[in-house]
């Protein structure tokens, strides 16, 4: 290795550290087979590995401490960590570049590799393969010359232990830790026999958990900022024997860390650039005016970011060395200008935009409906490029806007936002706009959870919260990572909550997603719908299907959902194709709910509001943005196991070519609100990413009312006592009940459960909605992750088939905590109603025994329809490997 | 099961066993002696029959064949499309045993079941129909209520006509059946279509007077069409039938059906004169057809018929007609498989060198067949290679088509009743190319020559005098009275030619001629006690006596593969197995890899080998065998 090759030079640096290092060996479990890590001036240090590595750049403590300790070495850190990485499988979107290519580009001298967390879920059975893969990785790495001269110096790091957060909603980690300990030990053994150092973070983190004043992880397995700060000195001491004293050096360290984080911003937006499929993947090769491709222009931008990152390395060194410098980015190469292939009629090819109110005159509505402007860029310039919205429990409208779409341009201010609109005087127009969060990058979806907000910002899902009441975010955690951002047009979108509080989002083709959770790794490629329980941190692929680009997901009153493939506006019934499949398998083509006549669709909503007449209740609203620019309306009916739809008069249609209704939500006043993306260009791939005709400043929110009928009185939700909130679950409006549960979801579980019993007892069994109210009670349990098997059993045998079907879905997600789940499913599989039977067949796919297949097959004793046939085939496909295993 | 129930089943099985010899099955008889394999522990199969059928429906044919036997698996083996006949027979036997019933009753139950599935079940219905009509009249008579129900209530016309054929075979009075059916035209059409199922063909003769008048009844069309296609299967009336059909075709009434029916009349029965008007009418018809319709089935059949007519005209007339035809479209040859005879209806196809050729294969048989065209001399190699292939489709979805440059073109494997169109450019090099069915076991009989020539008309004119082969289903009873004739005046040279031409030499050696796959026949006459009848009986029914050395076994390997072949050598650890008549078909298998071996009760020697011969030829062959293949040495007794 390099240290021995240059022994004379190195010895003087190395010896003083050795003594301290040897003393630490036993305590930290560092394998002593090879020389410890010795840095040289100008070393390029690359981090590899899973989320543990990736997240180290967010808080920057490891780099900060090393830079502080070796200020003269002028080290260059590049974090190549990537959520979901395993030593042998690192999922990337097309042409992202292999790890070798990135290490070569960064001329890596030192590699810090963090593997084993995801692999450990494979347990003892997968250990031999892991050992072999690790050995291959080590040997392969040691035979590379990424810096063009010498093999890299490699240090391995075991996974950290699973922290017991003593949260009933999270695993205590004991089972996981058995595997992690096994894998950590194996890593050390393999490292030892291959002569590379390995730092045992498993034991080190256990020691930290034991003495720490507060949790180091937010979910048991991924470090918080505090955890990153605690673990960093442990790593530095393990590598070098000493570490800076954070307490004594706090001000200096904080200054270095600020410089590190500034550098990391540019590095992350370069290495993990959003829209990668258009920057380096398949669509980067598309050529537009004068033959200029996305690749030509965007790769130049990547070079700009490389230079800006390097400029900030120098500032880090300056700060670490005790002075400072003003970063000068004038050394970046010039941007490449792009001409529009869709110029407007105005001077210089400019497009004209209708005045937001004037635009209403261009809209044709269904009879008796009226449109008014709620908000626009004219009164609120922040309202630029709105993409999704959600009404909070205070009756305020939260809107995610992304003027940077399709892709932030370096040197521009990156300032996508979440806005809060209020209509304080009740005139149907917003009069107040608050910026809840800014400096975001492509926030493509949002919903509420636990007194805060879940926000899409690929590759992350963020949890954001205002803790001091100023309506601006002051707490933030990346709760999910590894969500592919390779195409901003169809990454992580269409957030929706089911009645039991799980969050769903959609993602389209080209994307390669691998999300770590305390329960294991979820991989999926080329489109799907995902399901996330924020309370338990459970994450899974809800629909693994080769959509083009799904946009639009709506749950009805009974928890049945329609998933829309936005590209073709194809409506699918979620239940039939959301049974389990194992990566990389996908569901086959399912039956459609109706034959759509237009495309494409960016968003959908179920119309549930007594402001509108009875015949419109439950109608499915479908936004459509090309050809037909407006909102279509479909009447839904139960048909056999599933749902059928037929089109009725559209809600609204405009002849304004810029009119692009992208999201629809029923407001607290019962009116239909929709976002107008307002852009002459809607296509992502049809125009250059930097086409100057792409609008970045407009955005409107309109409201559709039925003036001959009274608006609904917005009901108080935020801050209401729990019993009042429970009573709101009797309301007919889906969104009111949903917001009541959002509010209840933020309350203390014990208090909610204590109130729920009396509320159930107070319900009137003669009320025609009694079964629905009882179902809501079950959903509140699900919201709070409290299993009530007896209530579940009651609902499984409800007189209303809608409730039996919905309860079967709950059973599916409680299957690990309800006694004899298959016995219960057997009854559902023989239910009188085909939908209940189908839910049972779907649920069977989540099991792994022949018995589950036998139960699913019981539906064959009853009449079958296309949906049942489809779902039974899908379930049996998933169960086949377990049957075959059983037959051998 | 009591002995009483056993007897009829045994008889039934014996009939089936005769069948099995053709396709190489033999498990059926074994199943009688050994209890069927109990379901393997852990094999996933629900107890509910509907669920079980669904689960088995998800298995591939290969997986189904490997599945441990039980009632549901037997049912699936009986009803699944694309399985070899031996599995049908095994299933019937298994079901009969499990349900304490007879194979015939289970066959009818299976037909009833398949009929409910509608069109998707048609091919297997056709296949099982062949088995149904193998049953004895008294056995069928015992099933009369079931047959009558099927004949009137089945949804598939094919099921109804098979049931009618069953009733006819059972010996029910024709008058009675006809009168009952005549009440409804579609029922009468079923009955008419049932007639060609009757065997031997002589059984169809009594219907001629009832069918012939139907040609003059245009309504209902279905009935007249049925009558046209049935009439051509009734022996002894070819000339009259040809004339009647020709008149219909010329008149343009039911032209497509008339042409189709005409083509089914043996060419040897076609008149030699007065064909020009029919040809002219077909040419005129083809000329007015839009070009796209000329390659549709009706157009192609008209082309074929016109070409066949032209080949019977004097050369100069033929040239003029075929020139016109060629200007209209590609050369088309239509080939049928012959029901239950494992052969094509034509052993000669003709193509012009380097010119496009379309061959239509219509599978009228009850088992799967394909058409594979190979280079001259490659027939045996391709046939034997195909036999060793696993039943997995190639990239084009074709089964049993070897990936070899010697294969010029091949259709997919056609299920019974299916048709395929093979379009190719005939090779530029003239020669006798060959065609065969590559389904394992078929290539020994199902072959023909594709003559690629420079001048098709001249070639056809030279061939026109060659009569199409005549087929006789010889029985010992039919030949025995004349066996004395073997003893004198025989043409041993002819016997030797036949020994090679019939394929005997593929598997037998006599006096140094032929392959040693089956027994050496040099001493065969001595082995059969110098008795012509015993020797002939063994040729007619090869499974009657099988020497242990030549017994075929079905081997199941632990990896799921299966092999069928004879055991050449057995020692403590290995078996040497020969799966076909070539040295490259000998392989050694470790006993430790074997899961099971099942001796088969049927011989690998095909049935019906003598059907293409007349009495004199058979006796020549017998004399040749008697002479031990020695033409010179043998001096025959007077």
């Amino acid at each position: 290795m390099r240290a021995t090759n240059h022994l004379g030079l190195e010895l003087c640096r190395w010896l003083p550290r050795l003594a301290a290092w040897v003393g630490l060996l036993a305590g930290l479990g560092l394998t002593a087979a090879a020389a410890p890590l010795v840095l040289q001036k100008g070393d390029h240090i690359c981090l590899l590995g899973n989320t543990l590595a990736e997240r180290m750049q967010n808080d920057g403590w490891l780099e900060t401490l090393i830079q502080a300790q070796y200020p003269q070495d002028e080290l260059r850190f590049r974090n190549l960590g990537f959520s979901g990485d395993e030593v042998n499988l690192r999922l990337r979107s097309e042409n992202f570049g292999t790890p070798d290519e990135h290490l070569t580009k960064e001329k890596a001298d030192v590699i810090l590799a963090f593997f084993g967390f995801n692999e450990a879920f494979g347990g003892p059975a997968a250990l031999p393969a892991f050992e072999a893969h690790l050995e291959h990785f080590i040997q392969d790495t040691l035979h590379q010359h990424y810096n063009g001269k010498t093999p890299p110096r490699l240090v391995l790091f075991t996974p950290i232990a699973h922290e017991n957060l003593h949260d009933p909603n999270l695993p205590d980690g004991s089972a996981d830790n058995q595997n992690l300990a096994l894998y950590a030990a194996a890593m050390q053994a393999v490292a030892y026999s291959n002569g590379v150092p390995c730092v045992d973070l498993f034991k080190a983190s256990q020691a930290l958990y034991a003495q720490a004043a507060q949790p180091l992880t937010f979910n048991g397995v991924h470090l918080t900022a505090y955890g990153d700060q605690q673990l960093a000195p442990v790593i530095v001491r393990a590598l070098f024997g000493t570490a800076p004293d954070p307490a004594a050096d706090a001000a200096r360290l904080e200054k270095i860390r600020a410089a590190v984080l500034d550098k990391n911003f540019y590095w992350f937006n370069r290495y993990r650039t959003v829209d990668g499929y258009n920057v380096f993947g398949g669509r980067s090769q598309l050529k537009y005016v004068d033959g200029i491709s996305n690749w030509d222009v965007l790769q130049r931008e990547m070079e700009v970011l490389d230079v800006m990152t390097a400029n900030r390395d120098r500032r880090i060194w300056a700060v670490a060395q005790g002075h400072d410098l003003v970063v000068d980015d004038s050394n970046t190469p010039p941007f490449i200008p792009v001409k529009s292939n869709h110029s407007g009629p105005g001077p210089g090819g400019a497009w004209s935009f209708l005045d937001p109110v004037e635009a209403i005159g261009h809209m044709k509505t269904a009879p008796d409906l009226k449109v008014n402007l709620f908000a626009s860029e004219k009164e609120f310039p922040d309202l630029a490029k709105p993409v999704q919205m959600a009404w909070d429990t205070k009756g305020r409208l939260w809107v995610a806007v992304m003027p940077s779409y399709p892709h932030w341009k370096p040197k521009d201010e990156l300032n996508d936002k979440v806005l809060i609109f209020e209509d304080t005087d009740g005139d149907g127009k917003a009069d107040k706009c608050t910026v809840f969060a800014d400096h975001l990058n492509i926030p493509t979806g949002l919903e509420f959870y636990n007194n805060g907000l879940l926000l899409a910002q690929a590759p992350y899902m963020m949890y954001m919260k205002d803790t001091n009441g100023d309506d601006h975010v002051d707490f933030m955690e990346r709760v999910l990572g590894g969500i592919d951002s390779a195409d901003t047009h169809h990454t992580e979108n269409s957030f929706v909550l089911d009645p039991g509080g799980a969050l769903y989002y959609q993602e389209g083709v080209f994307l390669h997603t691998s999300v770590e959770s305390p329960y294991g790794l979820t991989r999926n490629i080329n489109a799907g719908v995902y399901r996330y329980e924020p309370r338990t941190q459970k994450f899974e692929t809800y629909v693994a299907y080769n959509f083009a680009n799904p946009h639009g997901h709506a749950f009805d009153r009974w928890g049945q959902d329609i998933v829309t493939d936005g590209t073709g506006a194809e409506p699918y019934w979620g239940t039939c194709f959301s049974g389990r499949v194992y990566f990389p398998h996908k569901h086959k083509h399912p039956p459609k709910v109706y034959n759509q006549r237009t495309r494409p669709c960016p968003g959908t909503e179920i119309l549930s509001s007594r402001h509108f007449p009875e015949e419109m209740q439950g109608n499915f609203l479908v936004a459509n943005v090309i050809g037909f620019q407006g909102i279509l309306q479909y009447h839904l009916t139960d048909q056999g196991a599933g749902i059928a739809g037929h089109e009725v008069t559209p809600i609204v249609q405009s002849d304004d070519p810029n009119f692009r209704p992208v999201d629809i939500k029923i407001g607290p006043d019962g009116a239909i609100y929709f976002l107008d993306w307002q852009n002459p260009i809607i296509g992502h791939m049809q125009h250059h990413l930097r086409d100057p005709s792409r609008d970045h400043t407009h955005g409107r929110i309109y409201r559709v009312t039925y003036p001959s009928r009274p608006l609904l009185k917005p009901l108080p939700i935020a801050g209401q006592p729990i019993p009042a909130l429970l009573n709101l679950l009797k309301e007919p409006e889906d969104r009111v009940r949903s917001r009541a549960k959002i509010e209840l979801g933020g309350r203390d579980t014990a208090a909610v459960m204590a109130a729920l019993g009396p509320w159930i007892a107070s319900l009137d069994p003669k009320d025609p909605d009694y079964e629905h109210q009882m179902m809501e009670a079950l959903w509140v349990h699900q919201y709070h992750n409290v299993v009530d098997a007896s209530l579940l059993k009651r609902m499984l045998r409800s007189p209303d088939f809608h409730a039996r079907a919905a309860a079967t879905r709950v059973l599916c997600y409680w299957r690990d905590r309800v006694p004899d789940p298959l016995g219960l499913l057997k009854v559902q599989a023989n239910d009188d109603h085909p939908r209940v039977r189908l839910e049972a067949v779907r649920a069977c796919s989540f099991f792994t025994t022949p018995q589950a297949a036998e139960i699913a097959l019981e539906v064959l004793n009853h009449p079958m329809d296309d949906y049942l046939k489809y779902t039974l085939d899908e379930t049996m496909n998933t169960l086949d490997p377990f049957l075959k295993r059983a037959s051998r | 099961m009591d002995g009483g129930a056993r007897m009829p089943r045994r008889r039934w099985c014996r009939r089936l066993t005769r069948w099995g010899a053709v396709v190489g099955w033999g498990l059926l008889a074994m199943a009688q002696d050994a209890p069927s394999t109990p379901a393997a522990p852990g094999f996933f199969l629900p107890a509910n029959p509907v669920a079980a059928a669904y689960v088995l429906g998800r298995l591939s044919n290969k997986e189904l064949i490997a599945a441990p036997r039980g009632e549901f698996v037997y049912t699936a083996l009986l009803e699944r499309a694309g399985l070899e006949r031996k599995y049908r027979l095994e299933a019937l036997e298994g079901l009969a045993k499990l349900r304490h019933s007879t194979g015939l009753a289970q066959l009818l139950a299976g037909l009833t079941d398949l009929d409910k599935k509608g069109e998707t079940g048609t091919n297997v219905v056709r296949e099982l129909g062949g088995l149904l009509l193998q049953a004895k009249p008294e056995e069928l008579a015992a099933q009369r209520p079931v047959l009558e129900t099927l004949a009137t209530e089945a949804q598939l016309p094919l099921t109804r006509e098979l049931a009618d054929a069953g009733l006819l075979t059972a010996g029910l009075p024709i008058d009675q059946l006809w009168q009952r059916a005549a009440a409804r035209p579609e029922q009468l059409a079923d009955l008419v279509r049932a007639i060609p199922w009757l065997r031997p063909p002589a059984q169809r003769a009594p219907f001629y007077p009832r069918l012939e008048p139907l040609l003059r009844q245009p309504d209902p069309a279905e009935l007249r069409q049925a009558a046209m296609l049935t009439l051509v299967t009734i022996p002894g009336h070819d000339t009259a039938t040809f004339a009647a059909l020709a008149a219909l075709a010329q008149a343009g009434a039911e032209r497509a059906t008339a042409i189709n029916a005409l083509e089914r009349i043996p060419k040897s029965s076609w008149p030699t004169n007065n064909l020009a008007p029919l040809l002219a009418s077909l040419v005129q018809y083809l000329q007015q057809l839009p070009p796209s319709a000329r390659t549709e089935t009706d157009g192609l059949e008209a082309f074929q018929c016109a070409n066949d007519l032209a080949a019977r005209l004097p050369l100069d007339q033929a040239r003029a007609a075929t020139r016109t035809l060629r200007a209209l479209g590609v050369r088309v040859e239509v080939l049928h498989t012959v029901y239950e005879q494992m052969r094509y209806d034509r052993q000669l196809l003709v193509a012009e060198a380097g010119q496009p050729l379309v061959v239509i294969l219509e599978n009228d048989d009850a088992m799967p067949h394909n058409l594979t065209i190979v280079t001259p001399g490659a027939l045996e190699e391709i046939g034997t290679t195909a036999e060793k292939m696993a039943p997995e489709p190639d990239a084009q979805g074709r089964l049993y088509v070897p990936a070899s440059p010697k294969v010029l073109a091949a259709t997919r494997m056609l299920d019974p009743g299916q048709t395929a169109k093979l379009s190719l450019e005939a090779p530029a090099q003239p020669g006798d190319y060959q065609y065969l069915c590559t389904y394992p076991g078929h290539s020994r009989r199902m072959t023909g020559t594709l003559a690629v020539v420079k001048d098709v008309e001249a070639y056809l004119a030279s061939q026109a005098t060659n009569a199409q082969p005549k087929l006789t289903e010889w029985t010992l009873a039919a030949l025995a009275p004349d066996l004395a004739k073997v003893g004198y005046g025989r043409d041993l040279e002819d016997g030797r030619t036949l020994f090679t031409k019939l394929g005997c030499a593929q598997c037998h050696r006599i006096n140094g001629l032929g392959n040693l796959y089956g027994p050496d026949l040099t001493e065969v006459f001595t082995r059969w006690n110098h008795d012509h009848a015993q020797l002939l009986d063994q040729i007619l029914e090869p499974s009657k006596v099988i020497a242990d050395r030549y017994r075929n076994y079905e081997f199941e390997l632990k990896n799921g593969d299966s092999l069928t072949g004879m055991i050449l050598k057995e020692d403590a650890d290995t078996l040497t197995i020969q799966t076909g008549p070539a040295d490259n078909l000998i392989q050694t298998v470790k006993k430790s890899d074997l899961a099971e071996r099942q001796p088969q009760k049927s011989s690998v020697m095909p049935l019906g080998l003598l059907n293409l011969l007349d009495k004199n030829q058979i006796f020549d062959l017998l004399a040749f065998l008697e002479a031990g293949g020695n033409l010179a040495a043998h001096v025959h007794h007077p």
Side-chain angles (χ1 to χ4, degrees), chain B residues 40-54:
Chain B
F43 177 75
F44 179 77
L45 196 60
N48 168 341
V50 186
Y54 172 87

Side-chain angles (χ1 to χ4, degrees), chain A residues 439-477:
Chain A
H439 298 101
L440 303 171
N441 190 9
I442 306 289
T444 40
L446 76 177
E447 251 302 352
F448 301 102
Y449 162 68
N450 192 22
N451 305 310
L453 188 72
L454 290 167
L455 183 76
Q457 193 178 212
Y460 298 111
M461 185 186 291
M462 326 286 295
Y463 175 63
M464 293 181 159
K465 198 171 165 182
D466 161 32
T467 59
N468 61 10
D470 66 356
D471 285 334
H472 193 82
V473 58
D474 49 32
F475 173 83
M476 190 274 288
E477 186 58 84

Side-chain angles (χ1 to χ4, degrees), chain A residues 32 57 101 124 296 360 370 385 443 485 514 725 802 811 868:
Chain A
Q57 67 197 301
E101 286 166 351
D296 298 334
I360 296 170
K370 184 179 166 228
K385 307 279 72 72
S485 62
S514 36
L725 292 171
H802 295 98
L811 168 60
L868 274 160

Side-chain angles (χ1 to χ4, degrees), chain A residues 239-255:
Chain A
L239 291 176
F240 309 110
T242 60
D245 177 356
D249 229 4
R252 174 173 172 251
L253 290 181
E254 205 43 65
K255 203 172 169 200

Side-chain angles (χ1 to χ4, degrees), chain B residues 533-546:
Chain B
Q534 282 190 35
L535 175 55
L536 185 59
D537 193 28
Q538 186 63 18
I539 297 171
L540 292 169
E541 293 199 48
S543 302
K544 262 195 174 171
V545 180
I546 305 172

Side-chain angles (χ1 to χ4, degrees), chain A residues 850-851 853-854 857 860-861 869 872-873 876-877 880 883-884 886-887, chain B residues 40-48 50-52 54-55 58-59 63:
Chain A
Q851 197 199 348
E854 278 168 15
L857 290 167
L860 288 166
N861 295 333
K869 279 183 200 152
L872 180 62
D873 282 348
M876 291 303 292
N877 286 340
D880 259 347
L883 307 183
K884 287 188 175 144
S887 69
Chain B
F43 177 75
F44 179 77
L45 196 60
N48 168 341
V50 186
Y54 172 87
V55 167
R58 296 171 57 81
L59 302 182
E63 288 169 324

